[in-house]
Amino acid sequence: MTTAISRTSSTIHRRKRPSGAQIIVHLVLIVAVVVALYPVLLVLMDSFKSKAAIYSSPFAVPTAGTFSLDGYISVFTEGDFGRYYLNSIIVTVVSVVLVVVLSSLAAFGLSEYRVRLNPVTMAIFVVGIMLPIRLGTVALLKMMSAWGLVNTLTSLIIIYVASSLPLAVVLMSTYMRTVPDELKEAARIDGANEWRVFTLIAPLTRPGMAAVASVTMLPIWNDLWFPLILAPGESTQTVTLGVQQFVGQFSSDWSALLAALTMGAVPLIALFAIFSRQFIAGLSQGIGK
């Protein structure tokens, strides 16, 4: 018996040794991570340097002689960066919440009610994923101008919600279909109306909501196109648009620019670090379904 156990443990030990292919895959992944993170670290390091140090030694780590907070001071003194930050937070949070709520309701209706127009409606959402919304920029600008929404955060929220809904509905539909029919029928038998049924099954689709929120938040926060066209006013500028004031035609304030970029990326990095597990699980489960 002891001999058999020792043979089994040795076999398991041998199986745990990584193969050559696994080692190569891990090395490639490590290289990919380094390549992806190096520009981010470079921007972070140079944001704590003086202008002279950025030009003389852009790839060096800040030292006592090169360390400087002039870039961060310029961000808050030369521009209303706090307002830009608040505008980006308002637009992103409101848009993400509306996308999650509306896509969940739409997915519930498409997956629960069997009507003839369901395939057509789903096909329209799929087409909406493939068509870039920037193709309709001129028409959107005319529409927002007619509604009196130019230079307002409302125009940005409307555009972002409309452009994000197709992918969100398709993704949420895969989760709604996995909810057991028995649970919904039991709720209806107990006298629950359709809104109550939706609120009961919504917590079961939280991974999908997390995935929708993650894939929606990043492009909205980083977008420059629509803030530049629809909300270029001083009171409605977002972070990505406010950063442009440090870029000149003939010269740029690199320390302030790098500091602004660093501050603009902090919320996304923090949220991804906190919700990375839900983000990856939501996307992987959605693809698997």
Side-chain angles (χ1 to χ4, degrees), residues 28-287:
V28 172
L29 292 176
I30 292 173
V31 172
V33 170
V34 172
V35 172
L37 291 181
Y38 182 72
V40 179
L41 295 177
L42 186 62
V43 170
L44 178 62
M45 290 190 305
D46 285 351
S47 67
F48 291 100
K49 293 181 184 178
S50 61
K51 296 180 182 178
I54 293 175
Y55 284 105
S56 61
S57 55
F59 303 103
V61 178
T63 61
T66 61
F67 182 83
S68 175
L69 294 177
D70 292 341
Y72 291 91
I73 296 175
S74 298
V75 165
F76 288 100
T77 56
E78 297 181 7
D80 195 359
F81 201 79
R83 180 184 293 273
Y84 306 154
Y85 223 84
L86 180 60
N87 290 338
S88 290
I89 292 175
I90 292 174
V91 171
T92 303
V93 171
V94 175
S95 299
V96 169
V97 170
L98 288 176
V99 168
V100 171
V101 173
L102 294 177
S103 63
S104 300
L105 291 171
F108 176 75
L110 290 173
S111 61
E112 186 65 20
Y113 307 118
R114 309 299 180 184
V115 297
R116 293 181 179 180
L117 292 179
N118 271 7
V120 178
T121 305
M122 184 59 68
I124 293 174
F125 283 117
V126 173
V127 172
I129 297 175
M130 296 183 290
L131 293 177
I133 193 173
R134 287 179 176 82
L135 293 177
T137 299
V138 176
L140 292 173
L141 180 58
K142 291 181 179 179
M143 183 186 302
M144 294 301 165
S145 178
W147 292 351
L149 296 179
V150 176
N151 275 331
T152 63
L153 300 182
T154 304
S155 62
L156 297 179
I157 294 173
I158 293 174
I159 296 299
Y160 291 144
V161 171
S163 61
S164 303
L165 273 178
L167 177 60
V169 171
V170 173
L171 187 59
M172 284 301 302
S173 296
T174 61
Y175 287 90
M176 287 295 178
R177 294 191 184 98
T178 60
V179 178
D181 293 334
E182 293 79 5
L183 178 62
K184 294 177 283 189
E185 293 302 327
R188 292 189 177 99
I189 292 174
D190 290 339
N193 55 26
E194 294 303 303
W195 172 252
R196 180 57 179 167
V197 173
F198 171 76
T199 56
L200 288 174
I201 68 173
L204 301 178
T205 62
R206 282 181 296 180
M209 294 181 181
V212 168
S214 300
V215 300
T216 302
M217 176 183 62
L218 181 61
I220 292 177
W221 183 273
N222 289 334
D223 185 46
L224 175 63
W225 182 262
F226 286 112
L228 180 62
I229 295 173
L230 297 177
E234 182 67 24
S235 61
T236 56
Q237 289 187 19
T238 58
V239 169
T240 52
L241 188 57
V243 169
Q244 302 302 311
Q245 66 180 307
F246 302 110
V247 181
Q249 181 177 2
F250 302 103
S251 62
S252 301
D253 189 351
W254 288 107
S255 57
L257 176 61
L258 295 176
L261 291 175
T262 301
M263 295 180 61
V266 166
L268 296 179
I269 296 175
L271 289 175
F272 185 80
I274 296 173
F275 299 106
S276 59
R277 181 175 299 178
Q278 291 84 348
F279 169 66
I280 296 173
L283 286 182
S284 60
Q285 291 179 18
I287 294 173

